Amino acid sequence: MYELKTRETESSVIEFIENVENIKKREDAYKLLDIFSETTGFTAKMWGPSIIGFGSYHYKYESGHEGDAAVVGFSPRKAKISLYFAPGDAKREDLLKDFGKHTSGKACVYINKVADIDVDVLKALINQSVIFLRNTYPAC
């Protein structure tokens, strides 16, 4: 049976950020920590070894696969900073039009640095993900 690798842990968010080698990425991680914390009202938690997540929800797919995930989050990776939003939210694409320099995948948006994006749009993306997941998974 498939075992979910990305789970909430007891690891320290601050310790993780302090170990980010690139000082600019570390500074951006602290900025994002403040933005995500203030916008969601959730306490930051480590999810797996490298994702800083906010809130959690339980999902179950028609296939029977189920698990828990962070509502939103980010990870200051070596190449780019990954931003995690609700997968499947059609409104995300509209918000991304005014976001700034980024690339995106199914659930992730990738940025080089916070200075490349519009922070107000980031806050809107975070809020939209929270709303979408609360509507999709009411126990969220």
Side-chain angles (χ1 to χ4, degrees):
M1 183 168 169
Y2 174 79
E3 187 171 328
L4 192 62
K5 294 178 186 170
T6 307
R7 293 187 177 137
E8 185 178 322
T9 72
E10 295 299 318
S11 298
S12 167
V13 170
I14 301 300
E15 190 175 304
F16 170 72
I17 293 173
E18 284 299 313
N19 285 310
V20 172
E21 289 181 29
N22 181 306
I23 192 155
K24 296 288 187 195
K25 279 226 171 53
R26 189 178 324 136
E27 290 170 357
D28 276 350
Y30 278 117
K31 288 177 190 172
L32 291 169
L33 179 63
D34 288 343
I35 293 165
F36 276 78
S37 295
E38 290 171 12
T39 305
T40 65
F42 296 130
T43 301
K45 301 278 187 172
M46 290 302 302
W47 284 76
S50 62
I51 296 173
I52 299 169
F54 300 82
S56 67
Y57 69 100
H58 185 80
Y59 61 87
K60 185 171 184 178
Y61 299 137
E62 288 181 19
S63 66
H65 175 76
E66 64 183 298
D68 297 305
V71 173
V72 291
F74 71 92
S75 183
R77 306 211 185 260
K78 286 189 185 208
K80 293 187 181 274
I81 297 170
S82 300
L83 306 173
Y84 299 94
F85 302 113
D89 184 3
K91 293 182 181 178
R92 183 178 85 168
E93 291 307 312
D94 287 338
L95 290 168
L96 286 174
K97 290 175 185 171
D98 298 318
F99 189 50
K101 187 176 175 183
H102 73 281
T103 56
S104 60
K106 187 174 183 177
C108 297
V109 174
Y110 307 98
I111 63 171
N112 289 318
K113 57 187 181 255
V114 173
D116 288 345
I117 62 168
D118 184 320
V119 172
D120 289 332
V121 175
L122 173 59
K123 290 176 183 179
L125 283 161
I126 293 167
N127 282 323
Q128 179 55 36
S129 285
V130 171
I131 291 165
F132 176 80
L133 288 171
R134 281 191 177 144
N135 289 336
T136 307
Y137 303 97
C140 176

